[in-house]
Amino acid sequence: PRAADPGTADVMALCTWRGTCSELQELWDESSAPTWEGVTFHQAHGSAHTTRVVRIKLCSKGLTGDLPAALGGLTALTVLGL
């Protein structure tokens, strides 16, 4: 079986988080992941089609709850500001 697209996996990880955090449900429209406030996507090196999550900055959003383990899969993430 072919491995999942890393960019798709990144969005799924964020969707998992959104599903458990009411503040993110209000902030992020479910259908517009590439434009979510506080999240920066960047084209992956060597790929014209894969965008990865490289930055999450949500410092002033008053988020509550736990971070899902799925965020550990954001291997291109370089900045996490909560």
Side-chain angles (χ1 to χ4, degrees):
R2 196 174 139 200
D5 174 357
T8 301
D10 285 4
V11 171
M12 294 304 297
L14 293 179
C15 286
T16 297
W17 188 17
R18 182 186 178 279
T20 63
C21 180
S22 61
E23 294 85 6
L24 290 179
Q25 291 169 19
E26 291 178 23
L27 188 63
W28 295 344
D29 181 312
E30 187 173 5
S31 64
S32 62
T35 61
W36 281 346
E37 181 178 345
V39 179
T40 303
F41 289 83
H42 190 270
Q43 187 172 332
H45 294 291
S47 173
H49 305 290
T50 301
T51 57
R52 302 292 311 273
V53 174
V54 296
R55 182 179 303 162
I56 299 173
K57 292 187 81 178
L58 298 166
C59 299
S60 62
K61 302 303 178 190
L63 302 181
T64 59
D66 297 325
L67 295 175
L71 292 185
L74 300 176
T75 58
L77 187 68
T78 58
V79 174
L80 178 60
L82 302 175

